[in-house]
Amino acid sequence: MTGIDVDLPPAGGLGAPAPRREPLLTPLATASTQAEVEQLRRNGRRRQGGPGRVLTWIALTLLGVVFVYPFVWLVSASFKPRSEVFDNRLIPETFTLDNYVQVWQEAPLALWLVNTVIVTVLAAVTVTLSSAMVAWGFAYFRFRGRGALFGLVLATMMLPGAVTMIPVFLIWNSLGQVGTLTPLWAGNLFGSAFYIFLLRQFFLGLPRDLFEAARVDGASQWGVFWRIALPLCKPALAVTLVFEVQAVWTDLMRALIYLRDSDTFTVPRGLKSLVDAFGFGGEWHWEIIVTASVITTVPMIIVFFLAQRQIIDGVASTGIKG
Amino acid sequence: MTSTALTPGLGSPEPTGPHRSAPAEERRRSQQKARRRNVRSALLFLSPWLLGFVVFTAWPMIYSAYLSLTDYDVINDPEFVGLENYAEMASDPKILLALGNTAFFTLVQVPLYVIVSLALALLLDRAGRAAGFFRTVFFLPKMTPPVAVGVLFLLLFNGQNGLVNTVLGWFGIAGPAWTTDPAWVKPGLIFMSLWTVGSSVIILLAALRNVPETLYESAKLDGAGFWRTSTSVTLPMISPALFFIIIVNTIAGLQTFDEAYTAFFGSGNTTYSNDAALFYVIYLFQQAFEFLHMGYASAMAWGLFLVIMIVTAIQLIVSRRLVYYEGEK
């Protein structure tokens, strides 16, 4: 459940009727053919003359530098000694790995990374499976009140996380789970509205005959879902998985609410504690904060490059479907 | 666009075919039985969400509404106080401050965010083969954890020797103390937030590429110039995507928390906290989990809910006039 972070998996736009266009995430069509078709269309359109194109490229390059430079600055600063962190040099004057050694000593960073990996994997896998189950329930079965019930699913996306935050905290508190990692992922066992919506759209595009035929051949309802529908749904499952990995890895508020002991921190929560201890309110050891920020961010950059297509197609299709 | 499934999809209407030779009564009964089995299977698949809805949404909403009428510090039992929390909100100067900060942030950030992402998408749309590369470049910051974005804000916007002021200095501009001067904290946070426009750029680019080529061709035949084509073809065709981005970012802006909290609040920052960055959800979080005023914080949450509903409703009404949906007549 990504209740708090409304940003990446955009959760709004409910009242708006979906534009009548075919979703990018269409089953049985790979994203690469999609991209190729797009490319073909692009090449045919508004072919520009020389000066226009050159200006576009100059603008893009300058903007590209602006967007990449903060990363470069951060990584570069993490290799500088304390006195040079703010010198804004691209190449460190004095190159040192001390910060990486020191941050490991100052903070249980390995533990934070392990905690975050555990939470992220559990959260992403459970939300993908549970949301797929529910999405299948809405896509395949026909029953009275289906439309209204699905409307309710969509309506929950509009609810700000702040409204349920306190009672949900009290639930976990009464179960004695505050201070453990459980509240950070266990809510995902029950599916998440945005992903249910996404996966249902995908299931609706699959040919019904396939499932009817399997039923006639004696497959159980579960068998149809598990052995036929799910494998066909891999592209959408991948998008769900990756979105949730990103949402959970970067989640700060839930970690602030539920984690108390430094040994149980996730990386974002740990980084926040380092900012408190070594930042402007603390001891001014910015080289530690900078290095920890790099360590927090790098896994997400790796995830992006591993799953670039899923992420970009996923984001693009959420906007198109509205 | 591409792939149209040749066979009817799950979404298509049920194939109707007359059953042969079964006597009506028996057929009706067996159909009824099948339908009941069908509903039972459906419920089984829906059960995770149904359970989660009751436990993590419906009950919490009811309980939160109740808590908002009480004084509750988690340790002692809730004490019923009627509408006192709401009355207190009306006279709490920090609520006014937080609302003002949040309104300023949202009103300035959302338009800038939309303009910047549209500009980037338009550039990408005419970038030809380089589009894929620059799309990646613009999206990458979106992967950065918000905590790290908050850290980057403190570092890059540092008043004395931050990168931003150094670059401004090249042009003879003396940059302000972005991270300490109350007048400049919010503008600084807004500029920083523009770094993460990536997902909106992708959505708008996809929308731009979905505009049918034929529309541009007929506009050209009709003698429409660049301006006319932009306002009469491009803008209406991408208006649903623009509207989507505005709604989502407004809702997110009203709940902004991570970056500002990282930079200015928390246990170590009591001497450094900055009232200019006290956004509504930050104050709500403090009330709930730092001061343990659960009742008051619940009332604040319902206030936020109300604000979001009103703002979204206004946007929906306005959009009816401005947004063009292709499929509608």
Side-chain angles (χ1 to χ4, degrees), chain A residues 234-293:
Chain A
K234 270 184 197 149
L237 294 175
V239 169
T240 306
L241 206 65
V242 173
F243 273 17
E244 189 64 7
V245 164
Q246 201 264 357
V248 175
W249 185 279
T250 60
D251 180 33
L252 174 66
M253 198 195 255
R254 216 171 297 209
L256 281 171
I257 292 174
Y258 290 106
L259 304 179
R260 300 291 151 86
D261 189 13
S262 170
D263 284 348
T264 62
F265 282 178
T266 56
V267 193
R269 179 67 186 90
L271 178 55
K272 174 59 183 143
S273 74
L274 291 178
V275 175
D276 290 343
F278 298 114
F280 286 120
E283 294 175 39
W284 292 59
H285 272 287
W286 282 96
E287 74 285 3
I288 292 182
I289 297 171
V290 161
T291 311
S293 299

Side-chain angles (χ1 to χ4, degrees), chain A residues 6-8 10 12-13 16-17 20-22 24 26-27 29 34 37-38 41-42 45-46 48 53 56-57 59-61 63-64 67-71 73-74 86 88 133-134 136-138 141-143 149 152-153 156 158-173 189-190 196 203-204 206-209 211 221-222 225 246 250 252-253 256-257 268 271-272 275-276 280-281 286 289-290 293 296-297 300-301 304-305 308 311-312 315-316 318-320 322, chain B residues 1-4 7-12 14 38 41-42 44-46 48-49 51-53 55-57 59-61 63-64 67 72 74 120 123-128 130 134-148 151-152 154-156 158 161-163 166 195 197 199 202-203 206 208-211 213 216 237 244 247-249 252 255 257-258 261-262 265 267-269 272 281 284-285 288-289 294 297-298 301-302 304-305 308 312 325-328:
Chain A
V6 247
D7 209 14
L8 180 76
R20 291 232 135 269
R21 286 179 197 150
E22 285 181 1
L24 277 183
T26 319
Q34 183 84 52
V37 171
E38 245 174 47
R41 291 181 46 199
R42 301 281 350 121
R45 179 193 295 187
R46 277 168 288 161
Q48 284 190 314
R53 171 136 297 181
T56 305
W57 280 58
L60 278 172
T61 311
L63 286 163
F67 273 79
V68 168
Y69 206 81
F71 287 119
W73 190 97
L74 199 65
F86 280 100
N88 291 329
M133 250 178 90
V134 178
W136 180 248
F138 279 116
F141 296 96
R142 299 190 167 97
F143 50 91
L149 203 58
L152 196 57
V153 174
T156 61
M158 285 296 289
L159 192 67
V163 172
T164 52
M165 183 170 80
I166 291 166
V168 169
F169 167 80
L170 296 173
I171 293 175
W172 291 119
N173 192 36
L189 285 167
F190 308 103
I196 293 171
F203 282 134
L204 285 178
L206 296 172
R208 192 178 185 92
D209 295 357
F211 309 112
Q221 295 286 16
W222 180 259
F225 166 69
Q246 201 264 357
T250 60
L252 174 66
M253 198 195 255
L256 281 171
I257 292 174
L271 178 55
K272 174 59 183 143
V275 175
D276 290 343
F280 286 120
W286 282 96
I289 297 171
V290 161
S293 299
T296 310
T297 307
M300 284 303 97
I301 305 294
F304 177 75
F305 282 111
Q308 190 174 351
I311 292 173
I312 299 226
V315 172
T318 55
I320 300 273
Chain B
M1 253 172 24
T2 43
S3 88
T4 13
T7 34
L10 281 188
S12 57
E14 196 158 13
N38 187 45
S41 308
L44 219 59
F45 278 97
L46 299 184
W49 182 79
L51 196 65
F53 177 76
V55 178
F56 287 108
T57 305
W59 185 82
M61 281 181 77
Y63 198 62
S64 165
L67 278 182
Y72 183 46
V74 185
L120 291 176
L123 275 174
L124 287 178
D125 191 40
R126 40 202 75 212
F134 283 107
R135 189 175 58 176
T136 302
V137 168
F138 295 147
F139 186 78
L140 216 46
K142 188 75 213 173
M143 296 301 288
T144 316
V147 199
V151 169
L152 272 170
L154 286 178
L155 296 167
L156 300 177
N158 183 288
N161 36 20
L163 182 66
T166 307
W195 189 49
V197 293
S199 49
I202 288 178
I203 290 170
L208 284 170
R209 288 182 169 182
N210 258 353
V211 181
E213 189 58 31
Y216 286 110
M237 289 304 285
F244 173 76
I247 288 246
V248 170
N249 279 295
Q255 299 183 72
F257 176 84
D258 288 355
Y261 187 85
T262 303
F265 300 94
S267 60
N269 277 349
Y272 189 67
V281 174
L284 195 163
F285 177 86
F289 297 104
M294 297 288 181
S298 298
W302 283 98
L304 176 70
F305 187 36
I308 290 179
T312 309
Y325 290 106
E326 219 183 327
E328 282 180 9

Side-chain angles (χ1 to χ4, degrees), chain A residues 36-151:
Chain A
E36 276 161 26
V37 171
E38 245 174 47
Q39 194 59 52
L40 284 173
R41 291 181 46 199
R42 301 281 350 121
N43 290 344
R45 179 193 295 187
R46 277 168 288 161
R47 203 184 287 273
Q48 284 190 314
R53 171 136 297 181
V54 170
L55 278 179
T56 305
W57 280 58
I58 291 173
L60 278 172
T61 311
L62 286 175
L63 286 163
V65 170
V66 172
F67 273 79
V68 168
Y69 206 81
F71 287 119
V72 178
W73 190 97
L74 199 65
V75 173
S76 170
S78 74
F79 293 114
K80 294 170 185 173
R82 184 182 181 188
S83 57
E84 290 170 20
V85 167
F86 280 100
D87 70 2
N88 291 329
R89 271 175 210 278
L90 178 58
I91 312 289
E93 206 168 15
T94 327
F95 184 89
T96 172
L97 288 170
D98 285 356
N99 298 334
Y100 284 88
V101 178
Q102 210 192 342
V103 79
W104 228 263
Q105 288 165 347
E106 288 292 341
L109 208 66
L111 217 50
W112 293 351
L113 284 166
V114 170
N115 289 338
T116 319
V117 169
I118 293 173
V119 170
T120 306
V121 169
L122 284 172
V125 170
T126 50
V127 90
T128 305
L129 290 178
S130 56
S131 302
M133 250 178 90
V134 178
W136 180 248
F138 279 116
Y140 180 72
F141 296 96
R142 299 190 167 97
F143 50 91
R144 219 166 345 136
R146 179 172 77 159
L149 203 58
F150 189 66

